[in-house]
Amino acid sequence: MAGGAAEQRRLAAVVEGWLGRPVLVVGDAMLDEWRFAESDRLCREAPAPVLTLRRRISAAGGAANTAVNVAALGGRAVLVAPVGADVAGDELHDCLDRAGVWDRTVNQPARPTPVKRRMLAGNQILLREDSGDADDALDANGVGRLLTALDCATEELRAAGGEAPTLVVCDYGLGALPAPVRAWLVTHRERYATVALDAHDLADWRGLAPTVVTPSFAEATRLLARAAGARPAPGAGLHLDHPDGDPADGPSELTVGVAPGGAGPHRAGSTNPTGEPTAGEGRVAMTGDGLTVTGTGVTVNATAGAGVDRAVLAESRLAELRAHTGADVVAVTLDTDGAVVGGADGEPRRSHSTPVPASHAVGAGDAYLAAMTLALAADAPLPTAAQLAQLAATITVSDTGTCVCRREDLLVALDAPVDGAGHRALVGTGELAALVAEHRRAGRSIVFTNGCFDVLHRGHVRYLEQARALGDLLVVAVNSDGSVRRLKGPDRPVNPVEDRIALLAALACVDHVVVFEEDSPAGLIETVRPDVYVKGGDYPPEMVPEAPLVRRLGGQVRTLGYVPDRSTSAIIDRIRAHGQEPQQEDTSLTSKPS
């Protein structure tokens, strides 16, 4: 149980660390339109239902939904994409504004905004109408304006965050990323610290050297088929075949659930296929014999015997996918089967999904991509990034609509405390600077204090309430377990840091709690630059070791007296003394009937 809590806290710390991370998203943006209807009869002209429209919802789709997920997860998202000067484009701008995405899209009057319209009855998708395709190409002027927007957005993010931004490329074959734009991104790769690529045709992006690519099984198979070239001799193992020319593709979707036409995940002896029912790609399905995977223009034959599935096939080719894409990390999404992820260590990692109706999973791949990118940008280990990406995709699929994973939902799933205002009380050192900057822009004064807070008592609470009254918000820095041992001795702390920070975060007077490993909070003081630094004690502020630093940074130092006879050491001494008192044997229970 304790191990599980520690693991969740470790994952939550990564989510805390990516807050305010600058991310530039570029690619095929579109509008998702959901039309919910009712039907209680068939029309006389044909065996088709008569629909009565009840409500309509618009949402950002494609690259725009990836940007929305980045913003919802706590990143600083900027979207650069061509958008039409039409009603759909206006609605897309509204979606971006509501989500807090920095809208740096480029208006294209002669090019319509791509739209996916879904008609549903009883939560069942009856049909989907797509508009916008690769034939709607950008003209030379549009390409030039898009490149200017990319250059300006990159500099804008660097100036705002003080670091190289992260780049996410969403290429779904709808013409937003023609050859000159791809060449510009490859040429300027060094301007981005982390690069994530989600592309239907990965071969178009040779030379980008992405940090991570997230192909579907069909996309990965297509790339390997092209790389394989000639057909190998029979019995040579896994075979990949691909015809000349690819079908036109739309945005890929990570489908978490039962594929249409299938009763569930494939089992030996079943004739129901499972796979990725993306209309443009066709079905990628496993046949009942468990030996063959087929898709539009793609056939994969495995001779390893019964029980071979897509996850096994993907795992066997991770190294080749990394070599062909130049990516550090490859995450092959497998819809009903989760994902297979591989990095430089050559160790494949599996994650699993939750079966849901297909209408619940539209855009779950965007949530996966956003969380994976933010985690890697925050220097999370690959297993952690893979866990968070799958969790983000899974918790978004609770209802019909385009999936968006919110930061609060992810933290709740990790049992991490979230305060009533919707912002995290427990923060990481990496996000603290961004949080403080936001508070300062809002004109708030910041009070900062630090301590072990080993056994929280009345004296602590009064001290923190008094500290909070000195400004608009209170940041409390807590010594880690190792730091407490160095300061207090090997028998301290009594309570582990996860318990200590949970209690502090629950106090109404505490706005943010951060853990630090060092013996001195000097580094955090330089990050926060508090307006008021508070220490407990009856000595004058001049005796506080951190006073010169605080004053040099423009802050003031205050000392607050403790409540008499209320100290952690005194409480621990009383508990230990009580435990050492001889206990008289209580025989009263033995004389009474049970």
Side-chain angles (χ1 to χ4, degrees), residues 43 78 87 164 308 312 314 341 346 358 451 553:
C43 70
V78 175
V87 174
V308 173
V312 173
V341 182
L553 297 173

Side-chain angles (χ1 to χ4, degrees), residues 209-297:
T211 309
V212 57
V213 293
T214 59
S216 67
F217 181 77
E219 293 160 354
T221 301
R222 183 178 302 123
L223 178 67
L224 291 174
R226 286 178 169 177
R231 189 185 187 101
L238 191 65
H239 171 63
L240 298 156
D241 188 21
H242 195 278
D244 294 331
D246 290 322
D249 291 334
S252 60
E253 296 168 356
L254 175 68
T255 302
V256 188
V258 176
H266 174 75
R267 292 175 174 81
S270 169
T271 59
N272 293 321
T274 65
E276 297 166 330
T278 305
E281 293 178 333
R283 178 183 298 282
V284 176
M286 180 165 289
T287 57
D289 60 7
L291 300 177
T292 307
V293 179
T294 61
T296 302

Side-chain angles (χ1 to χ4, degrees), residues 474-486:
L474 175 62
V475 177
V476 179
V478 181
N479 294 78
S480 68
D481 290 347
S483 178
V484 174
R485 279 191 291 271
R486 291 192 297 271

Side-chain angles (χ1 to χ4, degrees), residues 16 33 145 201 502 539 541 549:
E16 296 155 10
E33 183 180 295
R145 293 169 61 215
D201 194 344
Y539 44 81
L549 172 62

